Amino acid sequence: MSVAARPAAGLALAAALLACSLVTAAPARAAACPGADATGGPASARAAAVVCLTGQARARAHRNALRGAAALRRSAALKVDSIERCGTFTHTPCGNKMQSAMSRTGYARGCYSVGENLAWVSVGVTPRQVVKAWLSSPEHRANLLDVHFRDTGVASRVVTLADAGRVELWVQHFGTRC
């Protein structure tokens, strides 16, 4: 899902929601991104692997590299919290706007454009599998490769969702400021 805001302009909402439940293993290969093929480990290392893999995908598509943004890392973590607290896998948990967490961290203020990828996967799925699933979805791929985005932040955590049980929830935020 993406949102753009400009002074005197309304919000533009686009994209669809995809819950990724993966069961196949990624092919074994030397990982240029540390932790990309790990089935566990610290959430921060797994998030760093997703950022690295996103960078590789963008480089293959001749897109600019994304910078890690602390405000987007915090907003991604806040979105994980909201989804868990509200118990629904959605871009708008508890009826909040998609960009609410990004506004709370100060990223989505004034002139900005933001996007969000969500996934819930079985515990033990690798960061590489998460990024591969996003790249296989037109809406998520569009966010990953959007030429306008300059920044990103990622968070993941194992949560229990009413309709899915115990899963690993992933949030990747993208953005650019005018």
Side-chain angles (χ1 to χ4, degrees), residues 38-128:
T39 58
S44 60
R46 293 170 61 73
V50 166
V51 171
C52 179
L53 292 163
T54 298
Q56 287 181 347
R58 290 177 67 88
R60 282 191 304 273
H62 307 288
R63 302 295 196 270
N64 60 299
L66 297 176
R67 299 174 297 222
L72 291 180
R73 280 191 301 277
R74 289 191 312 272
S75 67
L78 287 172
K79 180 60 71 93
V80 170
D81 293 343
S82 293
I83 291 171
E84 181 179 29
R85 184 179 65 256
C86 299
T88 56
F89 181 75
T90 177
H91 290 285
T92 57
C94 298
N96 293 317
K97 293 180 180 176
M98 185 277 288
Q99 71 275 20
S100 290
M102 293 177 234
S103 295
R104 285 178 54 198
T105 64
Y107 192 90
R109 291 200 180 142
C111 181
Y112 65 88
S113 178
V114 293
E116 174 178 86
N117 283 354
L118 303 178
W120 64 263
V121 296
S122 300
V123 175
V125 167
T126 69
R128 186 181 309 279

Side-chain angles (χ1 to χ4, degrees), residues 2 6 9 15 19 28 38 55 70 79 90 102-103 105-106 116 123 126 128 136-137 139 141 145 147 160 170 174:
S2 299
R6 303 205 184 282
K79 180 60 71 93
T90 177
M102 293 177 234
S103 295
T105 64
E116 174 178 86
V123 175
T126 69
R128 186 181 309 279
S136 296
S137 158
E139 295 86 4
R141 181 182 185 83
L145 301 180
V147 297
T160 300
W170 287 88
F174 304 91

Side-chain angles (χ1 to χ4, degrees), residues 21 83-84 87-89 120-123 157-169:
S21 181
I83 291 171
E84 181 179 29
T88 56
F89 181 75
W120 64 263
V121 296
S122 300
V123 175
R157 189 168 69 237
V158 175
V159 302
T160 300
L161 297 176
D163 294 340
R166 189 171 178 264
V167 298
E168 187 171 16
L169 179 60

